[in-house]
Amino acid sequence: MHATDEAGKTVSQNDTENQFDVGDRLRLVRQSYGLSQRALAVKAGVTHSLVSLIEKNKVSPSVASLKKILEAINYPLTDFFALSLPPVDQIFFRADELTPLSKGALTLLQVGDAKSHSVQIFHEFYEPGADTGETMLAHEAEEGGVVVAGELEVTVGSQTRILKRGDAYLFNSRLPHRYRNIGTERCEVVSAVTPPYL
């Protein structure tokens, strides 16, 4: 079986079986608030079909979409992933101990439990064509990162730059921003945000 992410990219069911079950968790959270799929969609300003597809694990939501849905019911994204988070006092993390916040064309892995620290660290992977969404992101924080492989188009406010391996960025996250892989190879980024916003 295969699922698709929001960009339409096919995601192997084997890839999702060993991952955090986003669909099942969203369904449980929604039901705990006594909401139908349609009611949650209306509150979040998204389509009913998007909520339905996420709950069936037929689409992998972008972090921005999942955050938007959860914010509609004042449910923190960190709490959403709480059961898969490592112990607060853990210091070292193997690659397979990072917490997946999104999987698919854009894979976002979090180091540790950001809610217990003043910084949020990510290991990010952008497949060719992947981006953070057409809607620009903006939040109360500062963020920066280094491109480890491939290239990434970064837009901050009215400025756009294509960053390649070894290039970096650092800016005030209150400025509208967006990330896109417009290259033909997978892009890898290590980034940090303070204070945590997801």
Side-chain angles (χ1 to χ4, degrees):
M1 288 182 63
H2 291 82
T4 59
D5 60 23
E6 285 186 272
K9 182 176 175 59
T10 299
V11 180
S12 168
Q13 187 65 33
N14 291 333
D15 290 341
T16 59
E17 282 173 355
N18 299 322
Q19 307 282 332
F20 179 83
D21 192 331
V22 171
D24 187 55
R25 179 60 59 81
L26 181 59
R27 178 180 57 78
L28 290 173
V29 169
R30 173 180 60 75
Q31 290 175 343
S32 73
Y33 279 76
L35 296 171
S36 65
Q37 290 181 343
R38 190 172 302 280
L40 176 58
V42 169
K43 285 177 74 71
V46 300
T47 63
H48 170 233
S49 62
L50 176 60
V51 174
S52 176
L53 290 171
I54 292 173
E55 290 192 3
K56 293 175 182 175
N57 284 315
K58 290 188 175 178
V59 67
S60 178
S62 67
V63 173
S65 292
L66 184 57
K67 189 170 187 285
K68 181 178 181 179
I69 291 170
L70 294 174
E71 282 180 342
I73 53 175
N74 295 315
Y75 197 92
L77 193 62
T78 48
D79 289 355
F80 187 80
F81 290 99
L83 292 182
S84 66
L85 292 172
V88 173
D89 60 354
Q90 184 172 343
I91 296 173
F92 303 106
F93 303 85
R94 295 190 313 271
D96 63 358
E97 292 180 314
L98 302 186
T99 302
L101 300 189
S102 72
K103 194 73 176 172
L106 169 54
T107 297
L108 191 61
L109 306 174
Q110 176 181 279
V111 179
D113 182 358
K115 193 166 58 172
S116 302
H117 300 278
S118 59
V119 65
Q120 190 169 27
I121 302 173
F122 297 114
H123 195 184
E124 307 174 35
F125 297 92
Y126 295 78
E127 300 298 335
D131 65 43
T132 52
E134 292 185 12
T135 302
M136 300 279 273
L137 303 170
H139 46 95
E140 298 286 322
E142 303 278 338
E143 64 190 273
V146 177
V147 176
V148 177
E151 56 185 39
L152 186 69
E153 180 190 81
V154 180
T155 298
V156 180
S158 61
Q159 299 183 58
T160 298
R161 185 76 55 89
I162 296 175
L163 304 180
K164 299 185 178 181
R165 183 173 181 246
D167 293 339
Y169 59 88
L170 178 65
F171 63 90
N172 185 327
S173 309
R174 295 164 187 81
L175 295 170
H177 53 282
R178 179 186 185 192
Y179 302 100
R180 293 198 305 159
N181 180 356
I182 60 173
T184 57
E185 299 178 2
R186 188 187 206 201
C187 177
E188 179 181 0
V189 177
V190 174
S191 68
V193 179
T194 184
Y197 82 104
L198 293 179

